[in-house]
Structures are given as C-alpha cells and as structure tokens.
Amino acid sequence: MVRAAVLPAIGSPLEITDIDLPDPGPGRIRVRLAAAGVCHSDLSLSNGTMRVPVPAVLGHEGAGTVVAVGEGVTGIAPGASVVLNWAPSCGGCHACSLGEVWLCANALTGAAEVYARTAGGADLHPGLNVAAFAEETVVSASCALPLPAGIPLTDAALLGCAVLTGYGAVHHSARVQPGETVAVYGVGGVGLAALQAARIAGASKVVAVDVSPEKEELARAAGATDYLVASDTTAREIRALTGKQGVDVAVECVGRATAIRTAWDSTRRGGRTTVVGIGGKDQQVTFNALEIFHWGRTLSGCVYGNSDPARDLPVLAEHVRAGRLDLGALVTERIALDGIPAAFENMLAGKGGRALVVF
C-alpha cells in the first residue's frame, strides 16, 4: 500500500488515500518517486478538458529511484535514478517512422490500462501513463529514462514535462535563432522554461507576458528582458518594443483563444507563433483570409515541445551542468501530496510557477 492522489471522477476533488500497488509484471518497473511537478495538464485532466479514464492517479512529471523490475526488463536495475517519460514512443507507427516521436499514435495506450487498485478494490488507471502523484508507481520500462549524471534527482522531475516542453517549443518548433526577438505568453512552469530556452538560444529581446504583475521578478530571472501585464493593448506594446515590427517568434503557453490571437498579432510580418498551451474545444480562434495572406505568418501547434526525450534529455542535462539552465528557478512552491489541490487552485488563479511535490 502506498499513498497517492486519486481522481475518483471527472470534476471531483482529489482524494489523498492509500492504494494497492502490485509488484511489476513483465516489462514493467516499480519506481519510488523523489518528486513530481504539478502541471496544468493535470488540472486539464481533472476537469475534463482532456480525457482520462477514471478513477485515476494523475501526475506525469516525475523522477525517482527504481526499486524493482519485472520479468524481461533489461538495461535498468534496482537503484537506478530515472526521469519518467509520460509519452514513450512505440517506434512503429506512422509518426514514429517519420521521426516525429512526439506524435506517436500509441504513446498513451498505457493510460487506459489498470495498474493498481484502491484500498476498497476498485480498478485504478495511471493518468498519462506514469501516475506520479504517489509515493511509488509501476510503469512500463519504456516510460523510464536514465537520469544523466550531475542532475539532482528532485529537480530532475521538471525535465519530464515542463523543461522538455518549454525548451522544445523554442528550439524544435519555433527554432529561435541568435539575435531574434521572442515573446512568451504565460509565466508558469512551461513558460519559465521557454524564457530560459530563448535566452540560451541567444534571443536579443525576450518579452514575457502574463496576467499577473507579481510574476515579473520570476520572468526576468529566467531571461526576460521586458515584462508586460496582459491587456487589450499587449500586441501594440510589443510592436512598440520592437521598432513597430513585432517579435520574430511568439510562444503561447496558456491555451486560451485570446492569448493565441494576441500572440499571432504580436509577431512581425513573416513571424512565427508556436502554441504550446492546451485549450478546450470552446476556445475558438478566428482569422480572416486576407490577413493570413497579408501577414505571411506561421501558426504551429506544439506537442511535448516536439521533443524526443531520449535525444533531448542529455542535451538539457549539459545545459544544467554548465549553469545555463536553472531547474530550481522554475519552482515557486515545494509541497506534499496533500498540497496538490491548493496547487490546482493557484494555477486557476494564475499564481506562481511550478509547484513541486517532494516525497
């Protein structure tokens, strides 16, 4: 029996309770969590914006220590430190054959499986495959990536989603080049990672935009050269900061129609907008045909930062070791399991960066 945060039904409060976690079966491993980040995607799963079989244990951004392995597992042994990968690629679908492993058609098949049971015997599903909101979890061995040397295990949890997504949005999707100008919309965990990534890429100006004036210090510490509180005039203000042109790249980390539209409006003619935020079906964004032609801008979706975790994790680790990437700077609150509901409320209110559950 281990403690976990269980989502009993869509829209219901999380319940911090004991669950019955089995020994790992063939091809699976058991991991003792060191830490798990509280991501906006977990909130989206809990409120029904994204689908998840319930009851479920949420949490998809985590790192920990392998305590047991099942039959047939090779290349990983008890005692190994690992980062959990919530979207392991199958290697055989069409997207994987194109090298677009972040779009793998089979990445989330494990989320529909039963991986544990409640104390009362009800089946439990692993939210986004890894069920990191628990003291321990059992996952497919494909969901575990070796932790590179020199990275603190607790901070490494952030590599599993926020950093791969924010860094990837800048480097893989938007492909920011040295000297370009960048605007990042939303200064949460992913937005803070995107700000650091823009600085690492050599952007000449990095404008952070958020609804909260209290996040300016966080944004500037991450690499923002300018900070704007979101308003109806944000796009105009950004053009004023960039010689009336607009930024080369806008990275939207909010998932709201108004933010996506403003990000698009704040880019220069021929600029690029990358949408990272996950919005609901009710968030409709409209453009007219003439402006699409006239502005020549590119609008792109971005899944998991268009990242290949196996390829990108060593690169991120080198940035951390060299002092270019500060994982701890993303964290504004370290909490226990029972602090997750309050962290959800803070996200809804637009407060803070990343909350990190520390076990």
Side-chain angles (χ1 to χ4, degrees):
M1 303 293 285
V2 299
R3 298 286 284 174
V6 175
L7 177 69
I10 299 300
S12 296
L14 293 180
E15 298 177 356
I16 312 302
T17 185
D18 289 333
I19 66 169
D20 185 5
L21 191 67
D23 292 331
R28 300 177 70 78
I29 63 174
R30 184 167 177 143
V31 178
R32 179 179 299 120
L33 273 297
V38 183
C39 179
H40 204 281
S41 295
D42 296 310
L43 179 60
S44 296
L45 290 166
S46 71
N47 64 23
T49 299
M50 297 168 62
R51 293 182 179 181
V52 61
V54 289
V57 174
L58 302 182
H60 61 280
E61 180 182 88
T65 304
V66 177
V67 294
V69 302
E71 182 183 352
V73 173
T74 59
I76 190 167
S81 296
V82 295
V83 176
L84 296 179
N85 173 19
W86 62 268
S89 56
C90 71
C93 70
H94 182 64
C96 287
S97 73
L98 296 174
E100 298 173 351
V101 297
W102 54 92
L103 298 179
C104 175
N106 301 306
L108 293 178
T109 55
E113 298 175 358
V114 173
Y115 93 112
R117 286 180 171 78
T118 66
D123 291 344
L124 276 173
H125 301 278
L128 293 185
N129 283 324
V130 298
F133 288 166
E135 295 169 332
E136 296 186 10
T137 187
V138 172
V139 300
S140 168
S142 64
C143 289
L145 296 168
L147 176 66
I151 310 300
L153 184 57
T154 299
D155 289 348
L158 301 163
L159 295 171
C161 184
V163 179
L164 276 169
T165 301
Y167 180 91
V170 168
H171 287 265
H172 303 322
S173 179
R175 298 181 181 179
V176 174
Q177 300 301 306
E180 288 193 313
T181 54
V182 178
V184 175
Y185 287 76
V187 184
V190 173
L192 288 168
L195 289 169
Q196 291 201 46
R199 172 177 47 76
I200 291 170
S204 60
K205 183 179 286 291
V206 183
V207 184
V209 182
D210 197 275
V211 296
S212 172
E214 287 75 23
K215 292 187 179 182
E216 181 171 359
E217 184 177 349
L218 272 175
R220 289 189 180 276
T225 58
D226 300 88
Y227 188 84
L228 298 176
V229 177
S231 71
D232 293 340
T233 63
T234 296
R236 191 183 313 155
E237 293 176 73
I238 287 178
R239 286 195 294 274
L241 289 170
T242 53
K244 299 182 180 180
Q245 296 302 309
V247 289
D248 296 297
V249 170
V251 180
E252 197 277 348
C253 304
V254 182
R256 293 185 180 275
T258 53
I260 294 170
R261 178 70 222 203
T262 304
W264 162 275
D265 288 338
S266 68
T267 60
R268 65 169 174 82
R269 197 175 187 188
R272 311 181 305 276
T273 298
T274 289
V275 178
V276 181
I278 301 173
K281 294 179 180 179
D282 61 325
Q283 297 292 312
Q284 299 291 316
V285 188
T286 60
F287 307 91
N288 66 59
L290 181 59
E291 68 175 322
I292 292 174
F293 159 77
H294 173 77
W295 289 103
R297 294 165 172 153
T298 300
L299 179 69
S300 301
C302 178
V303 178
Y304 206 4
N306 291 11
S307 294
D308 178 346
R311 174 199 66 196
D312 294 334
L313 196 59
V315 175
L316 294 172
E318 181 54 36
H319 284 310
V320 173
R321 288 191 292 263
R324 293 184 292 267
L325 180 61
D326 184 355
L327 298 179
L330 276 64
V331 180
T332 53
E333 188 179 20
R334 293 175 187 265
I335 60 176
L337 267 176
D338 58 9
I340 297 174
F344 278 6
E345 292 300 320
N346 285 338
M347 281 192 290
L348 284 170
K351 295 180 180 179
R354 201 49 134 216
L356 190 67
V357 180
V358 179
F359 297 92

